[in-house]
Amino acid sequence: MPLSPRMYHWFVRPQWFTKKYIHEHIQNGFHLENKDILDFGSGTGANCSICRPDIYLGIEPDRERVNLAKRIYPNHHFMHFDEKTIPAQDHSFDYIFVIAVLHHIHDEQIKDYLLEFERILKPGGEIIVLEPYLCERKPLNNRFMNWYDDGEYIRNEDGYLDLFHAGKYKCQVLKKFTKCFLYNEVFFSAKPIV
């Protein structure tokens, strides 16, 4: 049963958890200062705290999550979007965060988003991705993720990378790790091939 946005924010993505398993990886791998950031699938806004409000935009298809994010982080900007066109000008962002989003989206829709990402990225811009992934060597973790997570499209590492490669992106896997002993996570970046 899916949790309400408030329950999700406080129990699944508490601040300490987000800092340890998401923010530290991003901040150790990327310099975000003075960079325009799009948080794609921003949910309840947990990732905005590592970005200055004036250079951050969070977009999310769930209106309830957008409204909660606006209440919790009133200085940051969040928008509802229609799950088709990203509400941004061409070449607007240095980085796009895609954090725990792709495993909720089928392949064809991801292919469309990759075109949108290319459109809105500045030259030299990058996509920062962190997703749960299935690992052949960890069948217990795989079973747990498939049971616990409401994402219908948890892929293996190659499944994610192949989508980006087919969309003409160059990917670099930055780290693979286990979160809370049971979740396999792959952290990678992707740049359009010019």
Side-chain angles (χ1 to χ4, degrees):
M1 180 174 142
L3 296 172
S4 72
R6 185 173 296 282
M7 294 288 284
Y8 178 86
H9 184 78
W10 297 115
F11 292 104
V12 176
R13 290 288 295 277
Q15 191 172 30
W16 69 268
F17 184 86
T18 301
K19 181 177 178 2
K20 177 177 177 56
Y21 290 111
I22 298 171
H23 295 173
E24 286 181 6
H25 293 295
I26 293 172
Q27 290 173 313
N28 289 336
F30 300 91
H31 299 288
L32 304 179
E33 303 81 26
N34 301 315
K35 301 294 185 184
D36 293 305
I37 311 289
L38 175 72
D39 190 358
F40 177 78
S42 57
T44 58
N47 294 320
C48 76
S49 63
I50 60 172
C51 303
R52 280 191 0 231
D54 61 321
I55 57 174
Y56 172 91
L57 171 62
I59 62 171
E60 167 63 39
D62 183 326
R63 286 186 193 277
E64 284 184 59
R65 289 174 189 256
V66 170
N67 292 335
L68 179 61
K70 287 178 176 182
R71 285 194 304 274
I72 296 171
Y73 306 102
N75 296 323
H76 286 78
H77 190 65
F78 299 93
M79 291 178 65
H80 173 262
F81 87 111
D82 64 6
E83 296 187 68
K84 292 184 179 81
T85 304
I86 295 174
Q89 300 289 326
D90 294 359
H91 314 298
S92 299
F93 297 100
D94 297 289
Y95 292 118
I96 300 172
F97 292 169
V98 182
I99 310 298
V101 174
L102 299 179
H103 70 288
H104 295 280
I105 304 172
H106 61 81
D107 289 3
E108 291 307 311
Q109 194 171 15
I110 290 172
K111 290 175 185 175
D112 292 340
Y113 287 141
L114 291 175
L115 293 171
E116 277 291 278
F117 294 161
E118 183 177 4
R119 177 184 69 79
I120 64 172
L121 275 172
K122 293 179 182 179
E126 256 178 292
I127 304 169
I128 300 169
V129 183
L130 201 150
E131 287 290 329
Y133 77 103
L134 301 174
C135 180
E136 192 175 296
R137 295 184 323 270
K138 297 184 178 180
L140 177 63
N141 294 26
N142 296 343
R143 243 181 275 130
F144 176 80
M145 290 188 302
N146 281 318
W147 169 76
Y148 177 77
D149 199 297
D150 63 356
E152 297 178 31
Y153 306 99
I154 301 174
R155 299 161 177 89
N156 62 25
E157 178 184 342
D158 287 339
Y160 293 113
L161 299 178
D162 288 347
L163 284 166
F164 280 83
H165 292 150
K168 297 193 175 14
Y169 284 80
K170 179 181 178 184
C171 299
Q172 179 181 5
V173 174
L174 304 167
K175 189 169 190 175
K176 292 184 275 189
F177 61 95
T178 304
K179 176 174 72 179
C180 297
F181 305 107
L182 290 169
Y183 254 71
N184 308 317
E185 296 281 336
V186 60
F187 177 46
F188 67 94
S189 65
K191 286 185 175 185
I193 298 170
V194 182

